[in-house]
Each structure stands twice: as C-alpha cells, then as structure tokens.
C-alpha cells in the first residue's frame, strides 16, 4: 500500500459529519432536539459515541468523532444564543414531543435532564451559562402556560 | 458640625463598603464549594468571546424585563450573577496557571528579557485587579452593566497567554539551537 492509499482521516471525519447532517440532523427540528439526540448516542459508561448507520458507512471510530464534532458544534451554538432564541428552541422541543407539554416542563424542571446533554470537557462558564439559560427558558415557558390557562378560564 | 457630619458619612460609607466586600467574599466562598478551582483551571476549552458577550448581555436582561414578571427577573439576576462569577473565577484561575508555568519556564531560561518580564507581570497584576473589581461589581450591580470591563479582562487574559506562549516557544527554539550547536 502506498501513502496515496491511506485515507486522510480529517477528510473522512468531515465526510461522516456531512453525512450525519444530511441524513439525520436535518430531519430533527430545532437545535435543542439535535443536542438531546446527539447526547443520546453517547454511551454513559465509556463516553464514546455510537451510531450504527454512520459506522456502517464509515468506521466506528470515524463515526464517533463526527458525532462528537456535531455535538460540540450544536452545544456552542446554543450556549451563545440569546435567551429569547433559547426559549424558542425549548418551545420547539417541547411542542414536537409526544408527551404533554405540562409533563415535559415539570419533569425537565425537576430532573434537569439537559445537564447530561453537555459534551465532555467543554468550558465551565459556557456549560454553566447553558444550564442556567435552559432553567430560565423553562421558567418562562411555565409562566406563559400559566398565563394562557388564566386567560382560558377567564374567557 | 460639618466636620462631625462628614466623619459620620465617611464611617457609613466605610461600613457599606465592608458589607459589600464581605458579601462578595461569602459569595465567592459559596461558589468555590460549587465549582472546584482545579476543574476551572483544567478546562480544556478557552471561553469563547460570544459566551462572554452573552453572560454580560444587556439584550437578555431587556427581554426578561419585557416579560413583566418579578419572579423571572429575580431568577435571571441570580443566575447571571452566579455564571458571571464562575467566569471571573475561571479567568483568574487560568491566568494564575499561565503565570505559574511562566515562572517555571523563566527559572530555567538563561537569557531573560527584562522588559518582556515586566510587561507580563504588569499585565498579570492589572488582570488580577480587574478580576477583583469585577467580582465586587458583579455582586453590587449584576453583570449586565459590566460588559466593557469583562471584555477588557478577556482581551488582557488572551494577551498574557499569548506572551507566555511566545516566550515558551522562544525558549524551546533557543534550547534546540544550543543542543544542536
């Protein structure tokens, strides 16, 4: 095998990343839902990302790196977005879920599952800002829900 | 009469200042329990400029104020204050680490440039003073009005880190040159 036959690893990870965006992530509505999806592809015990379809088209290691890359990118986007935009993202996630809106808002406030959705070794301040903003977004959505309920009962 | 009135006013001001400093110190201690310093120092990623802008964002505060809900406003103030203090502690911890590494490298270096050393040390002291001021100011006013000072601290921190990196690269190049010669 000559050096020309050795695939460029970075190009391959980029290809896998583009494939992931095209086939999976573009079909998911909203960055918050994408973040939760990508975090769910990570093994709790090993911290490694797994995606059978992507691993079949590329290699398991390359697929893992592409998933991690996408996870970090979406996290950074959400961490730096405005609070108003984040409220919109959480709203999209809640409204596109099968569970009832009230149930999700209540469970998310109690269990704070979004804390598990952080990529590993991200900047501490960025992680804290994200968690804090999601907490605020949930409080705002709960407030809106209460106001809507009051308006409905009044009319 | 005027003398005793100004004395009383001075004493009141001093007491207020002490109360603020104590509050800041207590908050910093509480924060240390929540986020250990080693984790902040070992942070793999530097804090992005957009994140700093967001922590000290006035637009977010205006959005929250527009909701006209006191509970949410209080939660926002409390949360942003906490996150801003985490960032200040992280910046301060990172720069202390950079200075420790620099001191270690400088001890092993044969030919130090005096003006570069003075420059690095002056920037380090300025940054520490800015971080201290930010900690107290965040406690008093909240982070929303301190964006300018925070960006200044961020720039200064990047400058010190770059100076240390170029110093380190220069030392390595000289050592390699000496090794070959």
């Amino acid at each position: 095998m000559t050096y020309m036959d050795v695939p460029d690893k970075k190009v391959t990870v980029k290809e896998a990343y583009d494939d992931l965006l095209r086939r999976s992530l573009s079909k998911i509505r909203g960055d918050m839902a994408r973040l939760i999806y990508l975090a769910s592809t990570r093994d709790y015990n090993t911290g490694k990302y797994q995606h059978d379809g992507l691993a079949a088209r590329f290699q398991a290691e390359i697929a893992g790196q592409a998933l991690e890359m996408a996870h970090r990118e979406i996290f950074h986007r959400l961490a730096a977005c405005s609070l108003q935009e984040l409220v919109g993202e959480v709203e999209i996630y809640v409204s596109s879920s099968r569970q009832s809106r009230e149930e999700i808002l209540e469970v998310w406030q109690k269990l704070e599952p979004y804390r598990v959705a952080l990529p590993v070794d991200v900047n501490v301040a960025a992680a804290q800002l994200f968690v804090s903003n999601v907490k605020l977004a949930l409080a705002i959505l709960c407030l809106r829900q209460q106001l809507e309920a009051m308006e409905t009962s009044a009319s | 009469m005027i003398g005793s009135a100004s004395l009383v006013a001075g004493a009141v001001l001093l007491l207020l200042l002490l109360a603020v400093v104590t509050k800041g110190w207590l908050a910093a201690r509480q924060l240390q329990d929540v986020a250990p310093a080693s984790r902040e120092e070992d942070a793999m990623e530097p804090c992005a400029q957009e994140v700093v802008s967001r922590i000290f964002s006035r637009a977010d505060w205006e959005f929250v104020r527009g909701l006209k809900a006191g509970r949410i406003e209080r939660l926002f103030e409390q949360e942003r204050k906490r996150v801003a203090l985490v960032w200040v502690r992280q910046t301060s911890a990172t720069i202390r680490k950079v200075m420790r590494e620099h001191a270690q490298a400088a001890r092993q270096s044969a030919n130090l440039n005096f003006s570069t050393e003075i420059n690095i040390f002056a920037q380090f002291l300025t940054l520490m003073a800015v971080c201290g001021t930010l900690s107290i100011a965040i406690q008093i006013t909240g982070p929303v009005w301190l964006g300018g000072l925070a960006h200044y601290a961020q720039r200064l921190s990047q400058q010190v880190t770059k100076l240390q990196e170029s110093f380190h690269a220069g030392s390595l190049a000289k050592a390699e040159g000496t090794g070959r010669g």
Side-chain angles (χ1 to χ4, degrees), chain A residues 39-80:
Chain A
S40 76
T41 66
R42 185 177 53 187
D43 188 292
Y44 280 112
N45 299 323
T46 63
K48 286 189 176 152
Y49 294 82
Q50 288 163 343
H51 187 296
D52 291 342
L54 203 61
R57 284 188 293 282
F58 300 88
Q59 293 165 15
E61 194 195 335
I62 302 281
Q65 286 175 10
L67 286 160
E68 186 177 354
M69 201 169 142
H71 192 190
R72 284 183 186 284
E73 194 186 289
I74 290 174
F75 167 76
H76 284 125
R77 218 153 56 207
L78 284 172

Side-chain angles (χ1 to χ4, degrees), chain B:
Chain B
M1 186 67 187
I2 294 170
S4 59
S6 55
L7 196 72
V8 170
V12 168
L13 273 176
L14 192 70
L15 279 173
L16 274 173
L17 191 69
L18 270 174
V20 166
V21 169
T22 312
K23 198 182 164 197
W25 179 71
L26 284 172
R29 275 193 56 181
Q30 278 171 358
L31 215 66
Q32 272 172 4
D33 297 338
V34 176
S38 61
R39 176 70 186 88
E40 284 163 15
E41 274 187 33
D42 294 342
M44 299 297 282
E45 288 181 343
C47 195
Q49 189 71 39
E50 304 84 61
V51 171
V52 182
S53 300
R54 186 54 54 202
I55 293 172
F56 294 87
S57 163
R58 211 174 294 178
D60 281 357
W61 166 238
E62 275 157 15
F63 165 67
V64 167
R65 220 171 44 170
L67 297 171
K68 292 185 174 64
R71 192 169 56 86
I72 307 280
E73 280 182 28
R74 281 191 297 279
L75 183 65
F76 177 85
E77 281 169 352
Q78 187 188 320
E79 284 292 318
R80 276 297 155 93
K81 207 177 255 191
R82 194 179 56 77
V83 177
L85 286 170
V86 166
W87 177 79
V88 172
R89 280 199 59 229
Q90 187 187 55
T91 306
S92 155
T94 306
I95 212 67
R96 278 201 307 270
K97 189 185 173 205
V98 167
M99 281 308 283
R100 269 202 306 275
E101 284 169 2
H102 178 72
Q104 210 169 6
R107 272 198 292 274
Q108 288 160 0
S109 175
N111 36 5
L112 287 175
N113 186 327
F114 187 70
S115 64
T116 310
E117 291 308 305
I118 290 290
N119 189 15
I120 292 179
F121 192 63
Q123 292 201 17
F124 168 71
L125 286 182
T126 312
L127 190 57
M128 285 294 116
V130 170
C131 283
T133 310
L134 267 173
S135 286
I136 295 169
I138 287 167
Q139 286 297 326
I140 302 167
T141 65
V144 172
W145 310 103
L146 300 167
L149 197 57
H151 284 295
Y152 174 65
Q154 171 89 342
R155 274 199 306 276
L156 212 55
S157 161
Q158 284 166 349
Q159 272 174 25
V160 176
T161 309
K162 267 184 196 155
L163 273 173
Q164 152 62 6
E165 278 168 3
S166 61
F167 173 86
H168 188 63
S171 300
L172 278 178
K174 272 180 195 162
E176 275 176 22
T178 316
R180 277 194 208 115

